Amino acid sequence: MDQVYEVCKQSEIPVYFVGGCVRDYLLCKKSTDFDLAIDSHGFEVLCQKLEKNYALNKSQFSTFSINIGDYNVDVAAFRMETYNRANGLPDIQLAKMEKDINRRDFTINTGYTLMTKSSIRVLVGAHLNRNQSNDILKINYSHLHFFEDIENKLIRILHPNSFVEDASRLLRAVKYQVTLGLNFETDTQLKFNSKLARSALEKFSLDRYKQIILDYALKSNGKHIISALYNEKLLLYTISSSSPVLTNVKMDSMMSFDSSLALFGKALLEEVDDRTRSVLFLLFIYHEHIIFWKNQDRSVNLLIEEITAIQSGLQVDFICDAWHVFKLLQGKSIASILFVSLLIQNGFIAIDHPELIIELSTYLDKTRFTKVLVTGTDLKNIGINQGKQIGVMLNSLLKYKVNKRVNMTINEEINWIASRINEYRD
């Protein structure tokens, strides 16, 4: 952050911390995302100076993003916004700071703090315990309800059409409820629940909507955000790209997910991180429409592809024994296997094999670790020289170990093959 400060100081350009980083500090939360606001001239100067040493991600809305160390910094020129499009993307007009405040989503995000050495120490240094710091964060400009709403932890829109103009604010409000423990101001609650706001969400850019939801799901507390969105009926799916509708899934959401997942035991669940579990929860809600979330995130794509492959394998004359389960699941992630198991447990996949859940659990607990210790060289030493024979025998040994669920030493494996060597000679 010092790099930004030095550029602005040398050019005598005031730049302000604004939005979430100021809000989070006042709510005693740590932030690694910093929004900066600056006049249009300063924006151009700062952009030109920084792009000499950093890769800037620029947008058409007079903004750019930059990663500095562990921090993500978004810089925007002061501007006014008008919304003439249903996708939530604004038309902009450069303006003064006094006008810039009106484009913000909620009053709690309208605190402007001049960037100084002191404010950098407070915000970037993360002095969350004010008793340990002599620095005081000075708010240079804000909405008239800013301090009141911060103190009372209220979500308040700045004007009546806020949710209609940008329906992503519906999603963000729910995220703030979950992550910051906020409640709606009375009139904002009415606007949030209005048919106009919900209609605006259904007309919102589908790609942007998906990216926002996946970003939420990939947070460490993403499952709780997704659950809250589900309960508020803010999760969408679509049969065609032109007709999104609100979801109407038939389940008890998080309770069903958690109770089913708990059956696999703590040790196994520890192999799946919180973010992946949040994505699994999202896909669990969309169990009939998981393809809806494809092509938005590489890791999610891979997960969906594995889930789809397992489901397809179960439907094509599947033989339900340890070996065929092993072949189907080998190389698949624990997350994708758990997900398919959850679908079976909850009756979302119709199967002809009641023992399948037991076989899946056995694979997860034991047989997935099964491997052959003996090598081709070991087999050559006992008189098997042909490559094809070696491959067949190693595969037969693996199949035996999987079906019998046994552990064997190398000598035991060699003896097992030696006892059957005549079966594999031409």
Side-chain angles (χ1 to χ4, degrees):
M1 203 66 67
D2 291 334
Q3 300 92 321
V4 176
Y5 173 73
E6 290 301 329
V7 169
C8 293
K9 181 181 179 182
Q10 291 171 11
S11 303
E12 298 183 345
I13 301 168
V15 60
Y16 295 84
F17 289 107
V18 67
C21 59
V22 177
R23 174 204 69 222
D24 287 352
Y25 173 78
L26 295 176
L27 293 173
C28 295
K29 303 286 185 180
K30 179 178 173 60
S31 182
T32 56
D33 294 321
F34 295 90
D35 290 337
L36 304 180
I38 193 170
D39 67 32
S40 57
H41 169 68
F43 177 85
E44 295 299 332
V45 172
L46 186 58
C47 185
Q48 291 173 9
K49 297 278 188 180
L50 290 179
E51 66 184 355
K52 293 178 181 178
N53 299 312
Y54 296 95
L56 306 186
N57 184 15
K58 302 178 184 178
S59 83
Q60 61 183 336
F61 303 109
S62 293
T63 68
F64 68 82
S65 298
I66 179 175
N67 290 316
I68 301 178
D70 295 328
Y71 305 117
N72 180 68
V73 181
D74 293 321
V75 182
F78 296 140
R79 63 188 190 269
M80 296 186 296
E81 296 178 348
T82 55
Y83 290 81
N84 299 312
R85 294 173 283 185
N87 62 6
L89 298 177
D91 296 314
I92 67 167
Q93 180 181 347
L94 298 175
K96 301 292 185 181
M97 182 170 65
E98 293 75 14
K99 297 290 185 181
D100 185 75
I101 196 172
N102 294 322
R103 73 177 180 84
R104 305 212 167 259
D105 51 4
F106 307 113
T107 55
I108 55 172
N109 290 331
T110 62
Y112 292 74
T113 293
L114 184 66
M115 179 182 282
T116 62
K117 287 289 188 181
S118 174
S119 63
I120 291 174
R121 280 194 299 269
V122 171
L123 293 175
V124 183
H127 293 299
L128 299 183
N129 188 336
R130 289 155 177 76
N131 295 326
Q132 296 179 1
S133 173
N134 294 321
D135 295 309
I136 298 175
L137 188 68
K138 180 180 179 181
I139 308 299
N140 300 92
Y141 191 73
S142 69
H143 188 275
L144 61 91
H145 287 296
F146 173 73
F147 290 103
E148 171 192 350
D149 291 344
I150 287 287
E151 182 177 359
N152 294 318
K153 294 188 174 182
L154 290 178
I155 300 171
R156 186 197 304 265
I157 52 178
L158 274 67
H159 52 86
N161 291 325
S162 183
F163 290 127
V164 176
E165 288 182 348
D166 184 355
S168 69
R169 291 168 179 167
L170 293 167
L171 311 177
R172 207 172 309 131
V174 172
K175 182 186 76 169
Y176 290 163
Q177 285 183 304
V178 173
T179 60
L180 300 176
L182 305 183
N183 296 304
F184 281 115
E185 174 269 334
T186 303
D187 191 54
T188 298
Q189 177 79 74
L190 293 174
K191 296 294 190 298
F192 176 87
N193 290 329
S194 71
K195 290 183 179 180
L196 280 176
R198 301 310 169 102
S199 177
L201 182 62
E202 292 179 8
K203 297 174 184 175
F204 192 69
S205 165
L206 207 55
D207 282 340
R208 189 175 172 219
Y209 169 83
K210 291 180 184 179
Q211 193 57 59
I212 291 171
I213 298 299
L214 277 181
D215 284 346
Y216 291 172
L218 289 167
K219 294 183 181 299
S220 58
N221 58 356
K223 187 176 68 170
H224 298 283
I225 300 175
I226 297 303
S227 181
L229 291 168
Y230 168 82
N231 291 332
E232 291 288 355
K233 295 182 172 59
L234 292 176
L235 294 180
L236 302 177
Y237 78 89
T238 183
I239 297 173
S240 69
S241 59
S242 60
S243 59
V245 295
L246 294 177
T247 56
N248 185 27
V249 292
K250 300 176 182 178
M251 66 179 72
D252 290 328
S253 189
M254 186 182 286
M255 184 180 297
S256 177
F257 179 81
D258 283 344
S259 60
S260 298
L261 205 60
L263 297 175
F264 292 98
K266 183 179 178 181
L268 184 61
L269 294 183
E270 286 178 349
E271 296 188 45
V272 182
D273 61 45
D274 288 340
R275 295 182 180 186
T276 303
R277 278 194 241 177
S278 294
V279 172
L280 289 181
F281 177 59
L282 178 65
L283 297 181
F284 187 63
I285 292 175
Y286 284 80
H287 64 277
E288 294 180 348
H289 307 280
I290 63 171
I291 202 72
F292 179 72
W293 295 106
K294 206 167 179 193
N295 301 325
Q296 297 295 320
D297 178 270
R298 184 177 179 181
S299 63
V300 176
N301 278 357
L302 180 59
L303 186 57
I304 291 173
E305 288 169 2
E306 289 186 348
I307 291 168
T308 303
I310 296 173
Q311 288 180 289
S312 298
L314 293 175
Q315 295 172 359
V316 184
D317 299 325
F318 182 70
I319 299 172
C320 188
D321 60 23
W323 176 241
H324 287 89
V325 168
F326 180 86
K327 287 200 299 181
L328 177 63
L329 302 183
Q330 193 175 26
K332 304 294 193 303
S333 66
I334 300 300
S336 62
I337 300 169
L338 284 176
F339 183 81
V340 173
S341 300
L342 291 179
L343 296 187
I344 295 172
Q345 284 181 0
N346 285 275
F348 301 140
I349 296 180
I351 57 171
D352 297 325
H353 308 285
E355 71 277 20
L356 180 56
I357 281 292
I358 296 175
E359 291 294 348
L360 292 175
S361 297
T362 301
Y363 173 84
L364 289 169
D365 291 337
K366 188 171 184 178
T367 55
R368 66 183 167 115
F369 301 110
T370 303
K371 61 182 180 180
V372 170
L373 304 177
V374 71
T375 67
T377 300
D378 296 322
L379 297 191
K380 288 179 181 179
N381 290 336
I382 62 173
I384 303 175
N385 296 316
Q386 293 186 33
K388 182 179 178 181
Q389 284 184 332
I390 289 174
V392 169
M393 296 190 76
L394 290 178
N395 190 63
S396 296
L397 173 58
L398 178 61
K399 182 176 181 179
Y400 172 81
K401 293 182 70 174
V402 168
N403 281 332
K404 297 298 183 180
R405 302 184 179 99
V406 295
N407 293 318
M408 301 170 70
T409 65
I410 291 180
N411 286 336
E412 288 172 335
E413 290 184 355
I414 291 174
N415 290 336
W416 185 90
I417 290 176
S419 69
R420 292 163 176 78
I421 196 167
N422 290 329
E423 298 176 23
Y424 301 96
R425 293 192 186 279
D426 292 334

